[in-house]
Amino acid sequence: MTIKPSAYLRCRAGKGWLRGLGALVAAAALLAAAWVVEFECAVSPHKLPLAAQEFLAEHYPQQTPALVLWAWDDFRIRYEVFFHTGTQLRFRYGGALKAVDSRQQPIPAGIVPEAVREYVGRHFPGAVITKLEHERREWEVRLSNGVELSFDNRNFFPTGYDD
């Protein structure tokens, strides 16, 4: 003899997996929404990390920032500094330099690694470095003549060329 559960029990038992699936979908949607959320707000230059303040004092002593942004993006905090000349600097959370973009003006020589400066001076005479970006394993450089170069992080050997 087989015992059959009532219709009520069958209906309730079938919804358990549906609730679990709904919770999983809701959690995934919240995580996806949090991933694309970006917050930016203007802050005082005194709110920059100490390393970033020292960097600005050393390499840009005559300039006062026009705008300093604190940004939260991709679960990371970063700072962006804008000058009236059009120069833009990006710093990581601790104050380490991530990028400098000075449009058409040369970047101060003390910022650029010496091996990169020598390579650019030897192979592109007359061109100046207008953009410098440091990623995990490479340095990216843009020159005033439009050439973009990539160097590896360890021995500064060129790894990319784009004109």
Side-chain angles (χ1 to χ4, degrees):
M1 178 168 168
T2 307
I3 300 175
K4 295 183 180 179
S6 68
Y8 174 77
L9 288 177
R10 278 184 289 178
C11 181
R12 297 293 289 172
K15 289 186 179 178
W17 69 273
L18 189 59
R19 281 190 213 123
L21 180 62
L24 184 63
V25 168
L30 284 174
L31 184 61
W35 190 264
V36 298
V37 170
E38 179 178 318
F39 298 108
E40 284 188 350
C41 66
V43 296
S44 166
H46 303 293
K47 298 277 185 173
L48 285 169
L50 185 59
Q53 290 180 28
E54 290 172 352
F55 180 89
L56 292 176
E58 180 181 347
H59 297 288
Y60 294 93
Q62 304 299 327
Q63 297 185 31
T64 304
L67 176 66
V68 177
L69 290 177
W70 173 91
W72 184 73
D73 184 18
D74 293 335
F75 297 109
R76 292 187 183 118
I77 293 175
R78 62 179 160 78
Y79 295 91
E80 294 187 31
V81 178
F82 299 89
F83 291 110
H84 293 286
T85 59
T87 301
Q88 175 185 356
L89 293 98
R90 278 185 278 150
F91 295 96
R92 292 185 173 89
Y93 176 69
L97 180 69
K98 180 172 175 43
V100 179
D101 188 357
S102 66
R103 313 282 182 216
Q104 293 300 318
Q105 298 176 349
I107 291 176
I111 298 174
V112 182
E114 186 177 342
V116 173
R117 270 195 325 250
E118 289 175 3
Y119 182 87
V120 169
R122 192 173 338 118
H123 296 302
F124 301 96
V128 295
I129 298 173
T130 59
K131 182 177 180 181
L132 178 72
E133 186 168 355
H134 183 227
E135 294 295 330
R136 285 190 176 152
R137 293 189 172 98
E138 69 179 359
W139 290 82
E140 295 178 7
V141 174
R142 185 181 65 220
L143 305 178
S144 57
N145 60 5
V147 173
E148 295 183 5
L149 302 167
S150 299
F151 296 88
D152 73 337
N153 200 22
R154 296 201 178 186
N155 56 11
F156 297 101
F157 186 78
T159 59
Y161 178 88
D162 186 18
D163 55 354

